Amino acid sequence: MSNTSENPKPSSSSAKMTLKTSDNELFEVEEAVAMKFCTVKQYFEDEKDSDVAARGSTTVIPLPNVHSAVLATLISYGKKLPQSNAVADNHEEEETKKKERKKYEQGLLKNLMPGELLDLISAANYLDFKEGLEFFNQALADHIQNKSVEYVRKFFGIKNDYEPHEEEKYREEYAWAFEGVDED
Amino acid sequence: MDGYAPEASPPPPPPVASESKDDDDDDGNDDNTSDADDGDADVIDRILLRLPVNALIRFLCVSKEWSALINSSNFIKKHLNHSIETNSDRTLILNETFVNPRLQSRWFSVPYSDNDQFGKAVQIYQPLHNWKILDYCHGLVCLSFYNSYEKKKDIAIWNPLIRKYRKLPSEPIDKPSGSLYSFYSSFGFGYDPSNNDYKVVRITQFYERVFFEVKVYSLKSQCWKKIEKQWPIKGIRSKQSVSLNGAFHWIVVQNDGSESILAFDLANEKFRLYRKSRNEDLLSLEVLGGCLCFMNCDPEFPDYYDFWLMKEYGDESSWTRICKIELDAEPWNFEYFKPLLFSKNGKKILMEGIDLIWYDITTKRGKKVKNRSFPKRFKTATCIGSLLLLDGDNVIDLKQKKNKRKRNEFLTEGLNLLAKFAAKM
């Protein structure tokens, strides 16, 4: 039967949970990874004493706010993080893993459309996935840091409520901050 | 058997972290309230927190809401804390020294990455000419200028990364009643965490009589205040004070002739005296790695300097010698050097003499920082990205002013041509 039914602590990485997305896709995820989504973890711990826990990994946890494509990326990122129940690595292994993760992160960002970042951040926030939130927040900040004011307005869907002369005043006063900005 | 259990209700989203109930931005609402969806405001807030200051200055004109957010003291504080934690926008500000008096000394900014790499020095425009670095804190550089006419120092505070500054109002020295006294003023600049304020202290001692005039300037209230209580010491030995943990520190001489460290707390305006660890005279007091640090020299071994750190602030027994520097080992070709900061791994100290040197504590070797873009001789200040003094005066770059005039002339010509063309249509 389920190997976690007696012991609620995630001790073996082969224990799995099933998450269901807004578009009705099912994702089987290792418990160690799913526990990084604190919302899921809290849900799981809340149900610990109830009948649901006895059924262990057969519970399907619905995530109506998260689309499958987004969840797939978050799970993929979660897998690459150091696992909390893993054996401690020596310094060399740690450095190699760090480099691998950096490479993976760069590849991941390259293939993402900037608009997807907002969805990932929103989902990571809902799931209370701290490492994911930190990573994607930083990725979005890095993406917009050299962009023009017009680009940022368009990206976040912000209406410009300044009068032309007011905006011109800012641009004159802080002309230096407008130098070297990426072309739209 | 193992079928899928009936769906339970979805897990609730995580609780919103308790936000401040203050109204630091004075918009009439709690700081975390906005007209837009609260969730959206949170997302924006978290992204803006991670941006370098020049991007934030540019994004002031994205919308009125963004401008209000960036200008709010709550955001400025959060952004500063994030900068401190991540060393973001860390920059060295270099002030050229030993310059021909007919020329002006130049200023440069050098990006200094989290892994101890120096970028290229770029010349920057200073707010006032021939002023010198007094001290620095949280992205602010305190400057001083000796006004020989009034025989006292003028002070200004500058945030070079956002090009803002404020010159302090001139404050008279209240001399003890009677005839002329010769006197000497010593300054300090630092952060008062209890009041979230930045302060400048001026302590003036008079030579003919043991008397101290102490005044403190608050950046928040933009005015000077006098400290009435007299200090029970005989004299001040440090040229200027160092600021740490909301207090200013000086090396002082007590009434019995012995030396101590005096700490003046900015919040409660009380002072404490700390003993140093050794009997030798202190050469200087500094701050290194968030600890009080002093250098001393054993008169029997004048070729060695000892560095001591007060590892636990306030605990006199925690003075620890962290290194003993042999002066004859090259490249020490100057008498005094100031420790600036530790390397990321804590094994090296960046020292400032005439220029910069990395001193390796384990190998006991010093290595000069070679960077062709640096001026030959300079003094250094360390900055991180902060929006403090956003409401200050703009530092005007004369070169930019010239370019602006040219640009305006060009635009005017273009508009005239367009008008002529339109008239023809």
Side-chain angles (χ1 to χ4, degrees):
Chain A
M1 286 305 320
S2 164
N3 51 3
T4 57
S5 50
E6 298 306 329
N7 180 6
K9 265 211 178 115
S11 53
S12 131
S13 60
S14 61
K16 290 192 194 301
M17 305 181 77
T18 308
L19 307 173
K20 180 168 159 185
T21 63
S22 58
D23 49 334
N24 288 322
E25 269 207 42
L26 296 168
F27 283 81
E28 220 179 44
V29 188
E30 286 170 9
E31 208 169 286
V33 174
M35 287 301 158
K36 290 195 183 290
F37 304 160
C38 292
T39 307
V40 171
K41 180 173 176 205
Q42 190 60 55
Y43 178 90
F44 184 75
E45 283 178 356
D46 281 348
E47 304 293 327
K48 231 192 310 189
D49 296 325
S50 77
D51 285 354
V52 177
R55 282 180 284 237
S57 55
T58 59
T59 313
V60 175
I61 299 176
L63 305 171
N65 291 3
V66 186
H67 191 269
S68 55
V70 173
L71 187 61
T73 311
L74 290 178
I75 289 172
S76 171
Y77 184 75
K79 280 189 183 157
K80 286 289 183 174
L81 292 171
Q83 304 303 320
S84 47
N85 54 352
V87 175
D89 299 319
N90 67 32
H91 182 71
E92 231 180 71
E93 286 174 11
E94 214 184 284
E95 286 298 307
T96 322
K97 278 199 180 160
K98 249 195 202 167
K99 279 193 188 147
E100 265 179 39
R101 203 165 92 225
K102 256 251 142 82
K103 214 167 150 193
Y104 162 77
E105 285 172 356
Q106 282 172 354
L108 176 64
L109 291 178
K110 239 199 234 165
N111 293 327
L112 277 179
M113 295 294 289
E116 292 177 82
L117 281 172
L118 280 173
D119 296 329
L120 285 160
I121 289 171
S122 173
N125 189 33
Y126 169 75
L127 292 169
D128 200 5
F129 177 19
K130 292 190 171 56
E131 297 98 329
L133 202 54
E134 171 65 44
F135 176 71
F136 291 111
N137 273 332
Q138 189 61 53
L140 185 51
D142 292 342
H143 175 68
I144 64 166
Q145 87 174 34
N146 224 35
K147 293 281 186 272
S148 70
V149 169
E150 291 81 4
Y151 181 97
V152 166
R153 283 183 189 139
K154 199 163 158 211
F155 188 87
F156 290 101
I158 295 173
K159 185 174 178 295
N160 176 15
D161 51 355
Y162 278 117
E163 298 294 318
H165 72 268
E166 287 175 325
E167 186 175 334
E168 185 55 34
K169 196 164 153 262
Y170 269 119
R171 286 174 181 272
E172 260 192 49
E173 190 179 349
Y174 299 121
W176 57 269
F178 288 83
E179 290 169 12
V181 161
D182 290 345
E183 296 270 326
D184 285 346
Chain B
M1 275 307 289
D2 282 349
Y4 283 118
E7 266 175 39
S9 51
V16 175
S18 57
E19 300 274 4
S20 151
K21 286 279 180 233
D22 301 326
D23 182 21
D24 284 329
D25 47 17
D26 299 326
D27 62 355
N29 298 324
D30 292 343
D31 282 335
N32 61 332
T33 322
S34 64
D35 284 337
D37 180 27
D38 259 0
D40 280 350
D42 274 345
V43 171
I44 302 289
D45 190 78
R46 276 195 290 257
I47 305 297
L48 293 184
L49 218 55
R50 291 168 162 77
L51 287 176
V53 288
N54 64 337
L56 287 169
I57 297 289
R58 186 166 68 249
F59 295 157
L60 280 171
C61 78
V62 164
S63 73
K64 291 186 180 171
E65 192 183 323
W66 276 41
S67 174
L69 173 63
I70 295 169
N71 269 292
S72 72
S73 57
N74 189 31
F75 176 80
I76 291 176
K77 183 144 197 265
K78 278 198 291 191
H79 180 270
L80 172 64
N81 288 339
H82 184 263
S83 289
I84 293 173
E85 279 168 36
T86 57
N87 265 333
S88 62
D89 264 340
R90 192 168 56 167
T91 313
L92 296 186
I93 302 295
L94 310 182
N95 179 19
E96 215 177 9
T97 52
F98 297 104
V99 164
N100 183 329
R102 274 179 292 160
L103 302 170
Q104 278 167 19
S105 71
R106 296 174 296 168
W107 291 77
F108 298 83
S109 76
V110 181
Y112 176 48
S113 72
D114 194 42
N115 56 357
D116 304 324
Q117 299 300 314
F118 298 106
K120 184 166 173 244
V122 170
Q123 192 174 352
I124 58 175
Y125 207 75
Q126 71 277 26
L128 303 145
H129 293 298
N130 290 327
W131 285 48
K132 299 201 192 308
I133 297 173
L134 185 94
D135 209 340
Y136 45 93
C137 176
H138 291 176
L140 295 174
V141 181
C142 187
L143 302 169
S144 71
F145 183 76
Y146 183 63
N147 183 331
S148 50
Y149 177 67
E150 291 182 43
K151 287 204 173 29
K152 60 183 181 70
K153 271 189 175 162
D154 289 331
I155 305 286
I157 301 175
W158 176 35
N159 184 334
L161 295 184
I162 63 170
R163 308 196 189 188
K164 293 276 188 179
Y165 78 107
R166 178 167 294 138
K167 195 166 165 217
L168 268 55
S170 187
E171 179 68 17
I173 296 175
D174 299 338
K175 306 190 182 108
S177 58
S179 50
L180 297 161
Y181 282 90
S182 58
F183 53 86
Y184 177 74
S185 294
S186 160
F187 290 83
F189 171 67
Y191 178 57
D192 172 7
S194 309
N195 295 305
N196 192 28
D197 195 3
Y198 294 85
K199 294 190 169 157
V200 176
V201 68
R202 181 186 72 195
I203 175 163
T204 307
Q205 55 183 343
F206 296 84
Y207 293 132
E208 286 92 346
R209 194 181 128 185
V210 177
F211 183 83
F212 302 96
E213 190 240 38
V214 184
K215 285 190 173 173
V216 177
Y217 174 85
S218 142
L219 191 61
K220 227 182 200 173
S221 63
Q222 296 188 45
C223 64
W224 289 92
K225 174 181 147 177
K226 186 169 179 180
I227 307 294
E228 292 300 342
K229 197 161 178 190
Q230 273 299 302
W231 294 6
I233 52 172
K234 203 165 141 190
I236 293 183
R237 270 214 44 227
S238 327
K239 233 179 104 180
Q240 68 179 61
S241 84
V242 292
S243 157
L244 183 67
N245 290 344
F248 285 123
H249 305 78
W250 288 267
I251 302 172
V252 297
V253 179
Q254 293 196 264
N255 290 322
D256 63 359
S258 67
E259 271 191 355
S260 294
I261 295 170
L262 182 140
F264 175 62
D265 188 291
L266 289 168
N268 59 25
E269 294 176 0
K270 291 200 157 77
F271 46 81
R272 269 197 64 174
L273 288 158
Y274 295 113
R275 277 172 294 138
K276 51 191 166 68
S277 55
R278 320 268 283 173
N279 282 327
E280 303 90 343
D281 283 347
L282 301 179
L283 280 172
S284 72
L285 198 57
E286 308 286 354
V287 168
L288 178 61
C291 298
L292 271 184
C293 164
F294 77 76
M295 253 172 47
N296 73 356
C297 179
D298 189 336
E300 282 185 53
F301 302 100
D303 292 333
Y304 289 89
Y305 278 4
D306 285 337
F307 270 74
W308 294 78
L309 275 193
M310 188 187 229
K311 292 242 154 137
E312 298 293 326
Y313 182 74
D315 181 357
E316 287 161 331
S317 65
S318 74
W319 282 110
T320 314
R321 180 162 67 193
I322 55 164
C323 61
K324 190 184 186 76
I325 299 182
E326 194 186 318
L327 287 181
D328 280 344
E330 179 231 9
W332 313 106
N333 56 354
F334 41 84
E335 274 185 14
Y336 177 71
F337 38 89
K338 173 179 158 172
L340 293 179
L341 39 85
F342 281 108
S343 61
K344 190 166 183 177
N345 60 12
K347 298 208 174 115
K348 294 195 233 175
I349 301 177
L350 186 65
M351 306 268 201
E352 169 194 87
I354 300 176
D355 43 32
L356 292 176
I357 289 186
W358 277 117
Y359 179 77
D360 190 315
I361 301 173
T362 7
T363 66
K364 301 193 203 236
R365 300 227 71 98
K367 193 171 165 200
K368 188 166 158 173
V369 173
K370 285 203 164 78
N371 187 318
R372 271 196 226 136
S373 62
F374 285 1
K376 257 211 177 116
R377 298 171 177 198
F378 52 88
K379 288 271 173 237
T380 319
T382 329
C383 287
I384 41 151
S386 95
L387 293 168
L388 293 166
L389 220 53
L390 186 52
D391 55 349
D393 301 324
N394 289 322
V395 175
I396 307 292
D397 183 341
L398 286 177
K399 247 188 291 180
Q400 271 214 327
K401 251 190 163 168
K402 227 194 298 183
N403 286 342
K404 194 178 107 178
R405 204 172 47 233
K406 283 193 186 152
R407 199 170 73 227
N408 282 343
E409 284 165 8
F410 179 73
L411 274 171
T412 320
E413 259 206 56
L415 282 172
N416 285 338
L417 280 171
L418 263 174
K420 280 191 190 157
F421 185 70
K424 282 194 183 151
M425 302 280 282

